[in-house]
Amino acid sequence: MSKRRKENKWKDKLPFRLNLLFFVMFIMFAALILQLGAVQILRGESFQEEIDRTVNETTKVPVPRGKIYDSNQQLVVGNEPLYRLPIPLLKERKLQID
């Protein structure tokens, strides 16, 4: 009889623990939603100004790159920037580039 009584006590505590867990999760999500709303509503304009300021700033600074050599110590890539991409075409597989 006492074993059955212990099982009932454990079963009685389980829904309480689950309800407590769900309540804590609800409070945490509610706090998260409130915090996100406060950030968007109260400080949204300052964040938007920061985004606008950083997006519109463009700089053109040449970036020095290192030289790359192959296994025969021949220069493969130098420091001069190129604005085109050479694509070697194989005889078996010709690509058409428009």
Side-chain angles (χ1 to χ4, degrees), residues 2-96:
S2 66
K3 187 175 185 180
R4 188 173 189 147
R5 191 176 286 176
K6 287 181 183 179
E7 286 180 11
N8 285 340
K9 286 183 182 180
W10 182 78
K11 286 181 182 179
D12 290 340
K13 289 182 182 181
L14 184 63
F16 174 73
R17 289 180 183 172
L18 282 176
N19 287 337
L20 183 65
L21 176 68
F22 289 144
F23 179 72
V24 169
M25 293 298 291
F26 173 76
I27 295 297
M28 290 174 64
F29 277 116
L32 178 66
I33 290 171
L34 288 174
Q35 184 68 27
L36 289 174
V39 166
Q40 181 136 8
I41 294 170
L42 299 178
R43 297 190 300 172
E45 289 183 22
S46 63
F47 285 133
Q48 187 63 43
E49 290 171 1
E50 180 72 20
I51 290 170
D52 292 340
R53 186 183 66 79
T54 57
V55 169
N56 293 332
E57 290 180 4
T58 58
T59 58
K60 291 186 179 182
V61 178
V63 179
R65 293 176 173 84
K67 295 180 180 180
I68 299 175
Y69 295 95
D70 64 358
S71 61
N72 297 325
Q73 299 301 320
Q74 293 180 351
L75 185 64
V76 177
V77 178
N79 280 333
E80 295 179 20
L82 298 175
Y83 297 103
R84 59 188 168 97
L85 178 65
I87 301 174
L89 299 176
L90 300 175
K91 289 182 182 178
E92 303 89 32
R93 225 174 145 196
K94 290 191 176 184
L95 300 173
Q96 293 181 350

